[in-house]
Amino acid sequence: MSTTARRRPAEHGWFTSSRSNNGNQCVEVRFDGDAVQIRDSKFRRNPMNAGLVEPVITVDAPLWTAFLHCLLTARPHSELVAHTSSDGSTTLRHEAVLLHFTPEEWNAFTAGVRDDEFACA
């Protein structure tokens, strides 16, 4: 079975869930061959981040597929860790990279996961 990302090839760039609120603040994903990249759209909009290196999580397609399955079955993933706080905000961590999402951003992303918008073939 192939694990190459299928929904949005690299030439289409970064994309969000169709459930995101007009793409202003959301989980953004990009498929590039067998690599999946994740970033937070808020980073670029915050003037305090000017000149800083944007945090981007990069994983391979099999890890991404396993992570999506864990999200769908409400189980934790050991390498790509999503921690939701009592206020509903979620931190996504892979190795030393952390991304922080509001409850609305994470809910839109997980709705897209349920709709199969982020699946790999």
Side-chain angles (χ1 to χ4, degrees), residues 2-11 30-37 59-62 64 119-121:
S2 170
T3 56
T4 301
R6 66 178 161 89
R7 289 273 179 185
R8 308 271 182 147
E11 62 265 24
R30 179 173 71 171
F31 295 138
D32 188 6
D34 285 336
V36 180
Q37 295 180 308
V59 297
D60 63 23
W64 179 249
C120 295

Side-chain angles (χ1 to χ4, degrees), residues 27 38-40 55-59 63-64 67 71 76-84 89-101 106 109:
V27 179
I38 310 104
R39 70 182 182 186
D40 181 355
V56 175
I57 292 174
T58 302
V59 297
L63 190 150
W64 179 249
F67 173 71
L71 283 180
H77 190 276
S78 61
E79 293 181 59
L80 189 53
V81 179
H83 178 270
T84 302
S89 62
T90 299
T91 300
L92 185 62
R93 179 181 56 80
H94 182 256
E95 298 173 348
V97 181
L98 295 170
L99 301 174
H100 305 282
F101 300 102
W106 194 252
F109 171 69

Side-chain angles (χ1 to χ4, degrees), residues 36-54:
V36 180
Q37 295 180 308
I38 310 104
R39 70 182 182 186
D40 181 355
S41 65
K42 292 186 304 295
F43 183 87
R44 292 175 316 289
R45 290 174 180 81
N46 185 343
M48 293 181 65
N49 292 331
L52 298 177
V53 175
E54 180 175 17

